[in-house]
Amino acid sequence: MTDVAFFREHGWLVLSGAFDIDRLAAFDAAVEQVAGWAFGNSPGLHHFEQTGAGAVLARSEDFIPHHEVLRDEICDGLISDVIADLFDEPAVLFKEKINYKHPGGGGFAPHQDATAYRFVDHHISCMVPLDPATPESGCLHVAPGFREGQLPTDDRGRIDDAHAATLDWEPVPLAPGDLLFFDSYTPHYSDTNHTKRARRAAYLTYNASSLGDFRERYYADKRAEFESAGNDFDGQRVRISISDDFLGRPVSGGDA
Ligand SMILES: O=C(O)CCC(=O)C(=O)O
């Protein structure tokens, strides 16, 4: 049974060992197929970052129309059932992404996802770790405060430094098979991956279905925004998200 009361109090909830070994293996294999799409003329929206070992894949998005296993698991499985409990009504997928966080891959500055999520005011996401997520590999750190709504932001959409310094952050270490649910107003950040293996995780974001289905519109908008900015914005930093919270380094010309 979903601990809805815990989620409503804290803005996040961990389900330990929610995916059994077979389910996890199927999800992991599917994620590796999507990662492979980044290097050919294949579907999905893929972003790269620079690390000490060269250019690596940072993120893939917009893949469920092209992958049946992931579509079934994400749109009609355990995760969407738990999200429906948390919304107290059926949920519809708003967006899906995989952050690969290869060794040396960048962290994310303190932010609330709500800043970047258009069309609907409230979302809930599920993090599906495929590798151990620890403070060393760049797990999420969360803080209370989601019930205050939008916190003060700087001009990049990150939580203002002075405000972030007042928050009571705690790390959320996870093992593959665990699931982390968090509210789109839950403050969170993560660090660089300082280990020698990737810290892959899928993030699946839903809204209450009574508010409408905006997934296609979200991706049409994101693609248009990135294309109009030449896909590299000012070339000084990596933009993989509509809000500018990613701390990875940009790939130097032609490396990816
Ligand atoms: O994968 C991470 O380390 C953090 C992800 C995150 O906060 C985001 O993608 O908005």
Side-chain angles (χ1 to χ4, degrees):
M1 254 227 343
T2 311
D3 193 344
V4 177
F6 184 96
F7 183 85
R8 297 232 167 105
E9 185 179 346
H10 297 278
W12 55 274
L13 175 70
V14 173
L15 293 192
S16 300
F19 270 16
D20 65 23
I21 197 130
D22 292 336
R23 200 165 195 167
L24 185 61
F27 202 100
D28 194 312
V31 161
E32 286 308 291
Q33 283 165 1
V34 171
W37 294 347
F39 301 94
N41 190 16
S42 303
L45 180 60
H46 306 280
H47 303 286
F48 292 80
E49 66 177 309
Q50 190 72 38
T51 67
V56 296
L57 185 58
R59 174 179 287 184
S60 299
E61 292 199 39
D62 194 8
F63 46 79
I64 60 137
H66 315 285
H67 204 297
E68 197 179 344
V69 171
L70 286 173
R71 188 167 60 246
D72 288 351
E73 184 63 77
I74 292 169
C75 296
D76 194 18
L78 169 69
I79 296 171
S80 55
D81 285 349
V82 172
I83 300 257
D85 289 343
L86 299 176
F87 276 129
D88 200 20
E89 68 160 90
V92 63
L93 188 70
F94 181 77
K95 65 171 285 178
E96 72 280 1
K97 68 190 182 202
I98 301 159
N99 287 349
Y100 297 96
K101 205 174 263 197
H102 286 282
F108 290 76
H111 65 280
Q112 296 170 294
D113 288 341
T115 316
Y117 294 167
R118 299 168 172 160
F119 315 124
V120 185
D121 183 47
H122 184 218
H123 303 77
I124 298 175
S125 295
C126 176
M127 174 183 179
V128 185
L130 298 158
D131 301 295
T134 63
E136 296 72 33
S137 70
C139 68
L140 285 202
H141 296 244
V142 297
F146 79 106
R147 268 182 265 134
E148 288 164 40
Q150 181 71 64
L151 298 175
T153 55
D154 63 16
D155 57 359
R156 295 179 176 187
R158 305 169 179 183
I159 298 174
D160 179 75
D161 282 348
H163 193 88
T166 67
L167 294 175
D168 198 6
W169 297 102
E170 67 174 291
V172 189
L174 298 170
D178 298 345
L179 300 174
L180 167 65
F181 295 84
F182 59 103
D183 193 274
S184 54
Y185 286 94
T186 297
H188 59 284
Y189 77 88
S190 70
D191 288 324
T192 300
N193 179 0
H194 293 292
T195 72
K196 291 191 162 60
R197 64 183 274 191
R199 192 244 56 196
R200 298 164 302 150
Y203 292 85
L204 315 164
T205 298
Y206 303 78
N207 62 266
S209 69
S210 60
L211 298 179
D213 181 345
F214 296 96
R215 189 186 164 284
E216 282 189 19
R217 203 166 141 201
Y218 173 83
Y219 279 119
D221 250 44
K222 179 170 179 181
R223 284 174 184 279
E225 191 166 321
F226 273 60
E227 269 159 37
S228 73
N231 283 311
D232 73 344
F233 293 82
D234 58 12
Q236 297 302 306
R237 47 190 203 256
V238 203
R239 287 284 299 269
I240 66 177
S241 157
I242 283 174
S243 70
D244 187 6
D245 47 37
F246 182 50
L247 301 172
R249 286 188 284 143
V251 173
S252 31
D255 280 2

